[in-house]
Amino acid sequence: MPSYNRQFDLSINDVDLIEEALRARGRELSGMRLALRDDNPAHLESIRVVEQDQRQNEELLGRLHDQKIFYRPKKAVYIGG
């Protein structure tokens, strides 16, 4: 049985593109969720699926964010913003 590749070689631009695609997907899911009404029983299952997809999307964006190493100067004073 073949094993999974656990080592990826992605550039910063690749990661930015993935993040932007995930954000676009999040906007799409939000629009889908807004189109579904809570008071319509026929929409309840669709709402559950959309919200689950939204949660997975946000968790993946969070994991990507957590793996980043942000630059901070070691000798100079850090000015955020």
Side-chain angles (χ1 to χ4, degrees):
M1 174 180 259
S3 62
Y4 293 105
N5 178 12
R6 300 203 182 271
Q7 185 73 25
F8 294 93
D9 185 24
L10 298 173
S11 71
I12 298 297
N13 291 333
D14 295 337
V15 175
D16 284 342
L17 183 62
I18 292 168
E19 285 180 328
E20 187 54 39
L22 287 170
R23 287 187 190 101
R25 176 68 177 148
R27 289 188 296 272
E28 180 182 322
L29 289 168
S30 292
M32 291 168 61
R33 175 59 182 93
L34 288 172
L36 298 171
R37 297 182 48 127
D38 291 333
D39 59 351
N40 187 340
H43 291 172
L44 292 178
E45 181 62 22
S46 296
I47 289 171
R48 188 187 67 75
V49 170
V50 168
E51 287 178 347
Q52 181 180 6
D53 287 348
Q54 284 177 309
R55 191 169 19 265
Q56 289 175 342
N57 195 60
E58 289 298 315
E59 287 173 359
L60 179 53
L61 271 170
R63 287 194 306 272
L64 282 173
H65 177 79
D66 291 343
Q67 292 184 31
K68 290 181 180 179
I69 298 172
F70 295 94
Y71 171 76
R72 272 197 156 173
K74 299 206 185 291
K75 296 184 180 184
V77 175
Y78 175 70
I79 301 173

